[in-house]
Amino acid sequence: MSMPPDPFENDPRDPGQGGGTATIEREQLREHVEPGDSERFAHYVRKEKIMESALTGEPVIALCGKVWVPGRDPNKFPVCPECKAVYDGIKAPKDGGGEDK
């Protein structure tokens, strides 16, 4: 009965063999992107609603009306223009008279 071949017999990393070169292959990690991801936005939702959704799995409603269960990093997407407009409208002075001093 013969022994199987030694898999390390011709290992280029073996310091006992002189002058050889080795190629090190590096695996590149790429984030999986689903179709339509480039068209998605980060939406404005109350923080407590996001926390509640994380615990219960219930969907949230953004200022623009979008309903979904959050699960992605919002920093990877541009801000929804509709949410931003609603948020800016909420923060704007109601009387239109300028800044309070």
Side-chain angles (χ1 to χ4, degrees):
M1 177 181 233
S2 66
M3 295 292 291
D6 182 3
F8 300 106
E9 184 176 351
N10 294 319
D11 189 354
R13 295 170 292 179
D14 184 5
Q17 297 180 6
T21 60
T23 302
I24 299 174
E25 292 186 28
R26 180 175 41 166
E27 183 177 330
Q28 291 184 347
L29 299 176
R30 301 186 96 191
E31 185 175 325
H32 177 70
V33 178
E34 296 177 359
D37 272 356
S38 61
E39 297 173 10
R40 295 186 183 195
F41 295 106
H43 296 274
Y44 288 170
V45 178
R46 290 181 174 257
K47 288 181 184 179
E48 60 269 11
K49 293 294 184 182
I50 293 174
M51 294 300 293
E52 184 180 319
S53 176
L55 295 172
T56 65
E58 294 291 318
V60 295
I61 302 173
L63 292 178
C64 68
K66 177 178 174 146
V67 179
W68 86 108
V69 177
R72 295 178 180 249
D73 181 1
N75 295 322
K76 295 183 178 181
F77 299 95
V79 174
C80 170
E82 291 181 53
C83 283
K84 183 161 177 39
V86 171
Y87 182 76
D88 290 343
I90 292 170
K91 288 182 62 176
K94 301 288 184 208
D95 62 0
E99 293 182 8
D100 291 335
K101 294 188 179 190

